[in-house]
Amino acid sequence: MSGGAVAGLIASGAFAVLALFGCFVLLKLGRIFDEAAARVRQTGLVIDEGTARVRQAGATVDEVNVALAHVNKELDRVDAITANVQSITTNVSSLTSLFAATLGGPMVRVAAFSYGVRKAAAKRTRSEVESRVRTQLRTEKATRRGGGAAPGGDGSPLAQATGTAGGSRGGH
């Protein structure tokens, strides 16, 4: 073998090693590109999920807006009812004031009159009892002077005044 053949053999061997190294690099590079493609696909799925969630959140926000619109309508109704209740309260207050002004004075007078009548009746009853007791005491005194017993039972002024004459003495 000549020097040119050896040089060709070395060159072809080096080329073969270089080709193998290039294949190895291309194989690794292919795996890297496959992994990058898989990551891009995953990212696309995650983005799709995120987009779906954003759409769902948008639908939820729309539903909340509709619910708030209904709540606002109901609040308007409640405001109207509250205004009516306030008007009724004012009217009742006015009627109460009118009633108190119209009938309050005469009712106070009637109450004062009935109180006076009750007091007078109680005073009259008391004075009648006191009068009967005084009369009974005079009668007892006169009876003691005369030596006889008073007609009507036990003869105590209180018993005769209250109408319980004839009961037993000291039976408490």
PDB file of all heavy atoms in Angstrom, residues 40-61:
ATOM      1  N   VAL A  40     -44.350  22.152  23.455  1.00  0.00           N
ATOM      2  CA  VAL A  40     -45.223  23.099  22.759  1.00  0.00           C
ATOM      3  C   VAL A  40     -46.656  22.574  22.769  1.00  0.00           C
ATOM      4  O   VAL A  40     -47.607  23.333  22.999  1.00  0.00           O
ATOM      5  CB  VAL A  40     -44.711  23.356  21.321  1.00  0.00           C
ATOM      6  CG1 VAL A  40     -45.758  24.090  20.496  1.00  0.00           C
ATOM      7  CG2 VAL A  40     -43.418  24.163  21.354  1.00  0.00           C
ATOM      8  N   ARG A  41     -46.825  21.245  22.533  1.00  0.00           N
ATOM      9  CA  ARG A  41     -48.176  20.670  22.577  1.00  0.00           C
ATOM     10  C   ARG A  41     -48.774  20.818  23.973  1.00  0.00           C
ATOM     11  O   ARG A  41     -49.943  21.182  24.135  1.00  0.00           O
ATOM     12  CB  ARG A  41     -48.125  19.192  22.174  1.00  0.00           C
ATOM     13  CG  ARG A  41     -48.118  18.973  20.669  1.00  0.00           C
ATOM     14  CD  ARG A  41     -48.359  17.511  20.317  1.00  0.00           C
ATOM     15  NE  ARG A  41     -47.280  16.638  20.794  1.00  0.00           N
ATOM     16  CZ  ARG A  41     -46.177  16.345  20.120  1.00  0.00           C
ATOM     17  NH1 ARG A  41     -46.003  16.855  18.920  1.00  0.00           N
ATOM     18  NH2 ARG A  41     -45.274  15.548  20.638  1.00  0.00           N
ATOM     19  N   GLN A  42     -47.968  20.529  25.038  1.00  0.00           N
ATOM     20  CA  GLN A  42     -48.453  20.680  26.415  1.00  0.00           C
ATOM     21  C   GLN A  42     -48.830  22.124  26.695  1.00  0.00           C
ATOM     22  O   GLN A  42     -49.854  22.401  27.315  1.00  0.00           O
ATOM     23  CB  GLN A  42     -47.362  20.246  27.417  1.00  0.00           C
ATOM     24  CG  GLN A  42     -47.339  18.788  27.709  1.00  0.00           C
ATOM     25  CD  GLN A  42     -46.292  18.468  28.773  1.00  0.00           C
ATOM     26  OE1 GLN A  42     -45.309  19.203  28.929  1.00  0.00           O
ATOM     27  NE2 GLN A  42     -46.496  17.379  29.480  1.00  0.00           N
ATOM     28  N   THR A  43     -47.991  23.022  26.262  1.00  0.00           N
ATOM     29  CA  THR A  43     -48.280  24.443  26.461  1.00  0.00           C
ATOM     30  C   THR A  43     -49.566  24.826  25.743  1.00  0.00           C
ATOM     31  O   THR A  43     -50.390  25.575  26.288  1.00  0.00           O
ATOM     32  CB  THR A  43     -47.107  25.309  25.958  1.00  0.00           C
ATOM     33  OG1 THR A  43     -45.917  24.898  26.611  1.00  0.00           O
ATOM     34  CG2 THR A  43     -47.350  26.773  26.223  1.00  0.00           C
ATOM     35  N   GLY A  44     -49.773  24.279  24.556  1.00  0.00           N
ATOM     36  CA  GLY A  44     -51.010  24.544  23.810  1.00  0.00           C
ATOM     37  C   GLY A  44     -52.224  24.019  24.567  1.00  0.00           C
ATOM     38  O   GLY A  44     -53.268  24.683  24.642  1.00  0.00           O
ATOM     39  N   LEU A  45     -52.105  22.809  25.176  1.00  0.00           N
ATOM     40  CA  LEU A  45     -53.213  22.256  25.971  1.00  0.00           C
ATOM     41  C   LEU A  45     -53.488  23.110  27.204  1.00  0.00           C
ATOM     42  O   LEU A  45     -54.641  23.381  27.549  1.00  0.00           O
ATOM     43  CB  LEU A  45     -52.898  20.814  26.377  1.00  0.00           C
ATOM     44  CG  LEU A  45     -52.856  19.783  25.251  1.00  0.00           C
ATOM     45  CD1 LEU A  45     -52.418  18.425  25.784  1.00  0.00           C
ATOM     46  CD2 LEU A  45     -54.221  19.667  24.582  1.00  0.00           C
ATOM     47  N   VAL A  46     -52.411  23.530  27.863  1.00  0.00           N
ATOM     48  CA  VAL A  46     -52.586  24.382  29.043  1.00  0.00           C
ATOM     49  C   VAL A  46     -53.224  25.706  28.652  1.00  0.00           C
ATOM     50  O   VAL A  46     -54.110  26.220  29.348  1.00  0.00           O
ATOM     51  CB  VAL A  46     -51.225  24.600  29.760  1.00  0.00           C
ATOM     52  CG1 VAL A  46     -51.322  25.673  30.820  1.00  0.00           C
ATOM     53  CG2 VAL A  46     -50.730  23.300  30.358  1.00  0.00           C
ATOM     54  N   ILE A  47     -52.803  26.243  27.544  1.00  0.00           N
ATOM     55  CA  ILE A  47     -53.402  27.495  27.060  1.00  0.00           C
ATOM     56  C   ILE A  47     -54.868  27.275  26.729  1.00  0.00           C
ATOM     57  O   ILE A  47     -55.719  28.120  27.048  1.00  0.00           O
ATOM     58  CB  ILE A  47     -52.610  28.046  25.850  1.00  0.00           C
ATOM     59  CG1 ILE A  47     -51.256  28.588  26.315  1.00  0.00           C
ATOM     60  CG2 ILE A  47     -53.405  29.134  25.125  1.00  0.00           C
ATOM     61  CD1 ILE A  47     -50.334  29.005  25.192  1.00  0.00           C
ATOM     62  N   ASP A  48     -55.192  26.122  26.097  1.00  0.00           N
ATOM     63  CA  ASP A  48     -56.589  25.820  25.795  1.00  0.00           C
ATOM     64  C   ASP A  48     -57.420  25.691  27.071  1.00  0.00           C
ATOM     65  O   ASP A  48     -58.550  26.187  27.149  1.00  0.00           O
ATOM     66  CB  ASP A  48     -56.689  24.537  24.963  1.00  0.00           C
ATOM     67  CG  ASP A  48     -56.157  24.718  23.552  1.00  0.00           C
ATOM     68  OD1 ASP A  48     -56.030  25.881  23.114  1.00  0.00           O
ATOM     69  OD2 ASP A  48     -55.871  23.691  22.892  1.00  0.00           O
ATOM     70  N   GLU A  49     -56.848  25.019  28.096  1.00  0.00           N
ATOM     71  CA  GLU A  49     -57.552  24.916  29.380  1.00  0.00           C
ATOM     72  C   GLU A  49     -57.748  26.292  30.001  1.00  0.00           C
ATOM     73  O   GLU A  49     -58.821  26.607  30.527  1.00  0.00           O
ATOM     74  CB  GLU A  49     -56.762  24.032  30.347  1.00  0.00           C
ATOM     75  CG  GLU A  49     -56.834  22.559  30.066  1.00  0.00           C
ATOM     76  CD  GLU A  49     -56.025  21.736  31.066  1.00  0.00           C
ATOM     77  OE1 GLU A  49     -55.702  22.261  32.163  1.00  0.00           O
ATOM     78  OE2 GLU A  49     -55.725  20.575  30.754  1.00  0.00           O
ATOM     79  N   GLY A  50     -56.709  27.101  29.952  1.00  0.00           N
ATOM     80  CA  GLY A  50     -56.812  28.464  30.489  1.00  0.00           C
ATOM     81  C   GLY A  50     -57.854  29.271  29.750  1.00  0.00           C
ATOM     82  O   GLY A  50     -58.646  30.009  30.354  1.00  0.00           O
ATOM     83  N   THR A  51     -57.886  29.120  28.435  1.00  0.00           N
ATOM     84  CA  THR A  51     -58.880  29.832  27.635  1.00  0.00           C
ATOM     85  C   THR A  51     -60.288  29.375  28.005  1.00  0.00           C
ATOM     86  O   THR A  51     -61.210  30.203  28.137  1.00  0.00           O
ATOM     87  CB  THR A  51     -58.606  29.593  26.130  1.00  0.00           C
ATOM     88  OG1 THR A  51     -57.283  30.002  25.823  1.00  0.00           O
ATOM     89  CG2 THR A  51     -59.592  30.369  25.273  1.00  0.00           C
ATOM     90  N   ALA A  52     -60.440  28.047  28.203  1.00  0.00           N
ATOM     91  CA  ALA A  52     -61.760  27.524  28.594  1.00  0.00           C
ATOM     92  C   ALA A  52     -62.165  28.082  29.957  1.00  0.00           C
ATOM     93  O   ALA A  52     -63.332  28.455  30.164  1.00  0.00           O
ATOM     94  CB  ALA A  52     -61.733  25.999  28.621  1.00  0.00           C
ATOM     95  N   ARG A  53     -61.210  28.150  30.882  1.00  0.00           N
ATOM     96  CA  ARG A  53     -61.523  28.696  32.208  1.00  0.00           C
ATOM     97  C   ARG A  53     -61.871  30.176  32.128  1.00  0.00           C
ATOM     98  O   ARG A  53     -62.757  30.652  32.821  1.00  0.00           O
ATOM     99  CB  ARG A  53     -60.350  28.479  33.151  1.00  0.00           C
ATOM    100  CG  ARG A  53     -60.223  27.027  33.556  1.00  0.00           C
ATOM    101  CD  ARG A  53     -59.162  26.817  34.570  1.00  0.00           C
ATOM    102  NE  ARG A  53     -59.079  25.397  34.903  1.00  0.00           N
ATOM    103  CZ  ARG A  53     -58.054  24.849  35.478  1.00  0.00           C
ATOM    104  NH1 ARG A  53     -57.005  25.568  35.792  1.00  0.00           N
ATOM    105  NH2 ARG A  53     -58.059  23.556  35.734  1.00  0.00           N
ATOM    106  N   VAL A  54     -61.167  30.901  31.275  1.00  0.00           N
ATOM    107  CA  VAL A  54     -61.471  32.322  31.100  1.00  0.00           C
ATOM    108  C   VAL A  54     -62.874  32.476  30.514  1.00  0.00           C
ATOM    109  O   VAL A  54     -63.652  33.342  30.944  1.00  0.00           O
ATOM    110  CB  VAL A  54     -60.402  33.010  30.220  1.00  0.00           C
ATOM    111  CG1 VAL A  54     -60.863  34.383  29.770  1.00  0.00           C
ATOM    112  CG2 VAL A  54     -59.091  33.114  30.975  1.00  0.00           C
ATOM    113  N   ARG A  55     -63.233  31.623  29.546  1.00  0.00           N
ATOM    114  CA  ARG A  55     -64.591  31.674  28.975  1.00  0.00           C
ATOM    115  C   ARG A  55     -65.630  31.353  30.042  1.00  0.00           C
ATOM    116  O   ARG A  55     -66.678  31.995  30.122  1.00  0.00           O
ATOM    117  CB  ARG A  55     -64.706  30.692  27.808  1.00  0.00           C
ATOM    118  CG  ARG A  55     -64.007  31.160  26.568  1.00  0.00           C
ATOM    119  CD  ARG A  55     -64.249  30.232  25.396  1.00  0.00           C
ATOM    120  NE  ARG A  55     -63.417  30.629  24.280  1.00  0.00           N
ATOM    121  CZ  ARG A  55     -62.725  29.790  23.530  1.00  0.00           C
ATOM    122  NH1 ARG A  55     -62.766  28.496  23.762  1.00  0.00           N
ATOM    123  NH2 ARG A  55     -61.986  30.248  22.537  1.00  0.00           N
ATOM    124  N   GLN A  56     -65.308  30.322  30.856  1.00  0.00           N
ATOM    125  CA  GLN A  56     -66.230  29.953  31.928  1.00  0.00           C
ATOM    126  C   GLN A  56     -66.364  31.095  32.936  1.00  0.00           C
ATOM    127  O   GLN A  56     -67.469  31.399  33.391  1.00  0.00           O
ATOM    128  CB  GLN A  56     -65.709  28.693  32.627  1.00  0.00           C
ATOM    129  CG  GLN A  56     -66.666  28.122  33.647  1.00  0.00           C
ATOM    130  CD  GLN A  56     -66.113  26.851  34.285  1.00  0.00           C
ATOM    131  OE1 GLN A  56     -64.920  26.576  34.200  1.00  0.00           O
ATOM    132  NE2 GLN A  56     -66.981  26.100  34.910  1.00  0.00           N
ATOM    133  N   ALA A  57     -65.257  31.743  33.266  1.00  0.00           N
ATOM    134  CA  ALA A  57     -65.309  32.883  34.178  1.00  0.00           C
ATOM    135  C   ALA A  57     -66.122  34.018  33.562  1.00  0.00           C
ATOM    136  O   ALA A  57     -66.893  34.693  34.260  1.00  0.00           O
ATOM    137  CB  ALA A  57     -63.897  33.368  34.515  1.00  0.00           C
ATOM    138  N   GLY A  58     -65.968  34.210  32.260  1.00  0.00           N
ATOM    139  CA  GLY A  58     -66.767  35.243  31.578  1.00  0.00           C
ATOM    140  C   GLY A  58     -68.246  34.916  31.653  1.00  0.00           C
ATOM    141  O   GLY A  58     -69.077  35.807  31.904  1.00  0.00           O
ATOM    142  N   ALA A  59     -68.606  33.628  31.469  1.00  0.00           N
ATOM    143  CA  ALA A  59     -70.017  33.227  31.581  1.00  0.00           C
ATOM    144  C   ALA A  59     -70.510  33.433  33.011  1.00  0.00           C
ATOM    145  O   ALA A  59     -71.645  33.896  33.231  1.00  0.00           O
ATOM    146  CB  ALA A  59     -70.174  31.771  31.158  1.00  0.00           C
ATOM    147  N   THR A  60     -69.659  33.107  33.988  1.00  0.00           N
ATOM    148  CA  THR A  60     -70.043  33.307  35.388  1.00  0.00           C
ATOM    149  C   THR A  60     -70.242  34.786  35.683  1.00  0.00           C
ATOM    150  O   THR A  60     -71.201  35.174  36.365  1.00  0.00           O
ATOM    151  CB  THR A  60     -68.966  32.719  36.320  1.00  0.00           C
ATOM    152  OG1 THR A  60     -68.792  31.341  36.009  1.00  0.00           O
ATOM    153  CG2 THR A  60     -69.351  32.855  37.769  1.00  0.00           C
ATOM    154  N   VAL A  61     -69.377  35.613  35.177  1.00  0.00           N
ATOM    155  CA  VAL A  61     -69.521  37.067  35.370  1.00  0.00           C
ATOM    156  C   VAL A  61     -70.820  37.548  34.726  1.00  0.00           C
ATOM    157  O   VAL A  61     -71.538  38.376  35.299  1.00  0.00           O
ATOM    158  CB  VAL A  61     -68.289  37.815  34.808  1.00  0.00           C
ATOM    159  CG1 VAL A  61     -68.540  39.312  34.718  1.00  0.00           C
ATOM    160  CG2 VAL A  61     -67.067  37.538  35.661  1.00  0.00           C
TER     161      VAL A  61
END
